[in-house]
Amino acid sequence: MIPLRDSRRSRRTPFATWLLAAAAVALFVHELRLGAELPAFLDRWAVTPAALLHPGGALAALDAAARLLVSLFLHGSLLHLGGNLAFLLAFGDDVEDKLGAWRFLGFYFGCGAIAT
């Protein structure tokens, strides 16, 4: 089952949800435009266990945070992006409505950090 919408109406405009969706689409378009440079981009921004855990190559805290942030918006295919956006747009507005924009963003990034 693919969620297209839910029956609950939000009390306020879900700007944070829309911002997250727009960021994911923008970064995916950027990935598509990179062409042959995509592997180098992914080496730089995707989170990998080797980059985080290698004794001689452990990332600095700021670099790790930036890499973690960017990696939350990377997608491997149009199907991957579409599936994530379907759920974000169907249910993110409800969560944002309940928590408020700032707490929703904290929840989103916190869950993303744990998932990564």
Side-chain angles (χ1 to χ4, degrees):
M1 174 177 10
I2 299 174
L4 300 178
R5 63 187 154 289
D6 61 2
S7 60
R8 190 170 175 277
R9 294 297 241 186
S10 297
R11 294 176 301 201
R12 46 189 149 188
T13 306
F15 289 115
T17 301
W18 293 349
L19 179 67
L20 293 170
V25 170
L27 192 53
F28 187 71
V29 169
H30 179 67
E31 287 179 67
L32 292 176
R33 297 184 72 200
L34 285 173
E37 297 173 17
L38 181 59
F41 177 80
L42 293 176
D43 283 344
R44 171 66 184 104
W45 292 109
V47 174
T48 60
L52 292 173
L53 302 175
H54 188 271
L59 300 172
L62 186 57
D63 186 52
R67 189 180 280 230
L68 178 63
L69 178 69
V70 172
S71 73
L72 293 179
F73 298 96
L74 294 175
H75 292 87
S77 69
L78 190 56
L79 184 62
H80 181 201
L81 175 67
N84 284 3
L85 288 180
F87 281 90
L88 176 63
L89 295 173
F91 302 114
D93 61 336
D94 297 331
V95 179
E96 182 180 349
D97 194 40
K98 183 74 172 172
L99 297 178
W102 290 109
R103 289 193 318 179
F104 171 66
L105 289 171
F107 177 72
Y108 183 88
F109 291 121
C111 288
I114 290 168
T116 300

